[in-house]
Amino acid sequence: MINQFIWVIFPYLCVAIFIVGHIFRFKYDQFSWTAKSSEFIEKKHLMWGSILFHLGIIPVICGHIVGLGIPAEWLNAIGVSDHMYHIGAVYIGSLFGIATLIGMFLLTSRRITKDNVRRLSSASDIIVNILLLVIVVMGCVATLWTNATTPEFDYRQTISVWFRGLLIFNPDASLMTNVPLTFKAHIILGLLITSIWPFTRLVHVWSVPINYFGRSYIIYRKHKTN
């Protein structure tokens, strides 16, 4: 019963909160949609932390999409062998994962240890930072340690199949029974942050200024002095 709740009901509950929460906040609280800037208080840790985190997290997300969403048989069919995939997932993925971890550690320590930044932060800001840090830590541990100590475990035959089952509304909770604890913790925390996403500063992800690249040029005229 508990297994069924965690791996069937809980994911759908988190996604429902994610969707409804975003709709509600966009409709009734648009003025708080963007994140508060603390750059004027402290720049060094923010710069390096932000660069490392964002450069790392994008490939990590893409790796998750490939690993969870695309069946191993499909990759084999286009010439990506299990060995090639393993090298990309473990070695290249670990490189970007560590960059994400260092960046998230810098951002979290900055928010907690810098007095002025901490005073500017809300409780949800601190919770999100800590939760993201723990999620990244668990992801790195699962990739670097669990894969090395449990080589017989193949998440593409368990977690990935379970995940794709969620997408077609036919999840099999039994697939998650023998999944190592580090992977389970990583997934549960990921679902948890999905549920609180619309109520935190994470909504600023959807406010990327893409239209900036297509805007008209700003014309400056030189003022002539007599």
Side-chain angles (χ1 to χ4, degrees):
M1 185 66 181
I2 295 177
N3 202 47
Q4 193 76 7
F5 173 80
I6 294 175
W7 305 116
V8 177
I9 299 174
F10 184 61
Y12 289 126
L13 181 62
C14 291
V15 172
I17 295 173
F18 178 86
I19 295 172
V20 175
H22 274 90
I23 294 173
F24 179 86
R25 184 165 181 180
F26 185 78
K27 186 174 181 179
Y28 296 104
D29 194 20
Q30 289 187 44
F31 290 109
S32 67
W33 194 264
T34 56
K36 294 177 292 185
S37 175
S38 58
E39 183 180 359
F40 67 94
I41 296 176
E42 195 281 331
K43 292 185 178 181
K44 184 177 180 181
H45 287 83
L46 176 63
M47 180 187 71
W48 285 111
S50 183
I51 289 174
L52 288 170
F53 176 77
H54 288 95
L55 286 180
I57 197 64
I58 294 174
V60 165
I61 291 174
C62 292
H64 278 65
I65 293 173
V66 172
L68 296 175
I70 302 178
E73 296 77 16
W74 291 14
L75 292 177
N76 290 334
I78 62 173
V80 180
S81 66
D82 291 343
H83 180 66
M84 290 172 60
Y85 176 85
H86 183 75
I87 291 176
V90 175
Y91 296 102
I92 300 176
S94 295
L95 180 65
F96 286 112
I98 291 172
T100 306
L101 176 60
I102 295 173
M104 199 63 238
F105 177 79
L106 290 173
L107 293 173
T108 304
S109 62
R110 170 184 179 272
R111 188 167 295 282
I112 294 174
T113 61
K114 303 295 182 182
D115 291 339
N116 290 336
V117 177
R118 188 173 64 250
R119 280 194 288 268
L120 184 67
S121 304
S122 64
S124 67
D125 292 337
I126 296 175
I127 291 172
V128 164
N129 272 72
I130 294 175
L131 190 54
L132 278 173
L133 178 62
V134 176
I135 290 172
V136 176
V137 168
M138 295 309 301
C140 289
V141 171
T143 301
L144 295 172
W145 184 72
T146 306
N147 278 328
T149 57
T150 318
E152 68 278 6
F153 172 72
D154 186 357
Y155 71 86
R156 291 200 291 171
Q157 302 303 324
T158 52
I159 300 174
S160 297
V161 179
W162 162 79
F163 176 78
R164 292 195 295 272
L166 286 172
L167 298 180
I168 61 174
F169 301 102
N170 187 31
D172 183 358
S174 65
L175 290 167
M176 300 298 294
T177 302
N178 297 318
V179 170
L181 184 60
T182 51
F183 282 97
K184 288 182 176 179
H186 182 63
I187 295 168
I188 291 172
L189 291 173
L191 291 170
L192 181 61
I193 203 166
T194 298
S195 67
I196 68 172
W197 188 305
F199 313 106
T200 67
R201 65 166 51 225
L202 288 175
V203 293
H204 80 276
V205 170
W206 316 121
S207 300
V208 177
I210 298 176
N211 60 339
Y212 174 85
F213 298 101
R215 70 173 186 173
S216 301
Y217 289 106
I218 299 175
I219 299 175
Y220 291 92
R221 291 184 173 86
K222 186 176 181 181
H223 178 68
K224 293 183 177 180
T225 57
N226 294 327

